[in-house]
Amino acid sequence: MKNKLRKIVVDNLEYLYTVTDTFHPGTETNTLTVKIFLIGKKQFPLSIDFLTFDDYIMGQPLKSGVSLVNTTTNSTENVNLNEPQYIRKFILLGRENGWTGENILERQNGVQYLANLGFEIEKLKPV
């Protein structure tokens, strides 16, 4: 299946992004990768990896949706990283971490990004 590039606009800047996941046999873990880049600057992506457990029925929990408590908003949210609202938040966090869309930034820890947004992440960690 082809990776579909999706478009999002944040602060009048246009970005493209893709969400993919990779199962790691023998470890029962899964890495969901979000790659975001400014249109025309594909060589400088913001790459965010989310290493989580792999649900044997649903697969990658962040791709199918998982309920996580957000201590910032005092609510429980169904977090599905296919939803643009999270991509927007990741772009803003990437900027805070020094990404401009025109520079190389090392791969980012996505589970930590979720923690920075106030989510309790213990539920996602591999066993």
Side-chain angles (χ1 to χ4, degrees):
M1 185 167 92
K2 285 177 81 174
N3 290 334
K4 180 181 172 189
L5 291 176
R6 294 177 263 184
K7 182 176 158 183
I8 188 169
V9 178
V10 177
D11 297 333
N12 296 319
L13 294 172
E14 292 183 10
Y15 298 89
L16 294 175
Y17 69 95
T18 185
V19 178
T20 58
D21 67 301
T22 305
F23 174 68
H24 306 290
T27 64
E28 305 310 315
T29 61
N30 192 308
T31 300
L32 183 136
T33 301
V34 175
K35 284 190 179 181
I36 306 165
F37 51 90
L38 275 170
I39 290 181
K41 302 290 182 179
K42 197 170 184 175
Q43 67 273 30
F44 303 113
L46 172 61
S47 295
I48 309 168
D49 289 335
F50 299 81
L51 178 64
T52 67
F53 71 93
D54 187 80
D55 186 288
Y56 68 95
I57 295 173
M58 300 297 289
Q60 169 52 256
L62 292 169
K63 195 171 183 182
S64 56
V66 62
S67 292
L68 296 177
V69 173
N70 188 318
T71 57
T72 304
T73 61
N74 292 320
S75 63
T76 300
E77 293 181 36
N78 185 41
V79 178
N80 181 332
L81 298 187
N82 286 304
E83 296 177 13
Q85 66 174 322
Y86 297 107
I87 302 303
R88 181 183 188 288
K89 291 175 183 179
F90 298 151
I91 289 170
L92 297 174
L93 280 173
R95 286 183 191 168
E96 286 179 21
N97 290 337
W99 182 66
T100 64
E102 296 185 6
N103 64 321
I104 295 175
L105 192 64
E106 66 184 35
R107 287 187 173 271
Q108 301 292 288
N109 180 333
V111 176
Q112 186 59 51
Y113 267 44
L114 289 173
N116 292 347
L117 293 172
F119 290 103
E120 292 182 358
I121 57 172
E122 289 72 30
K123 183 177 187 177
L124 296 173
K125 293 183 179 178
V127 178

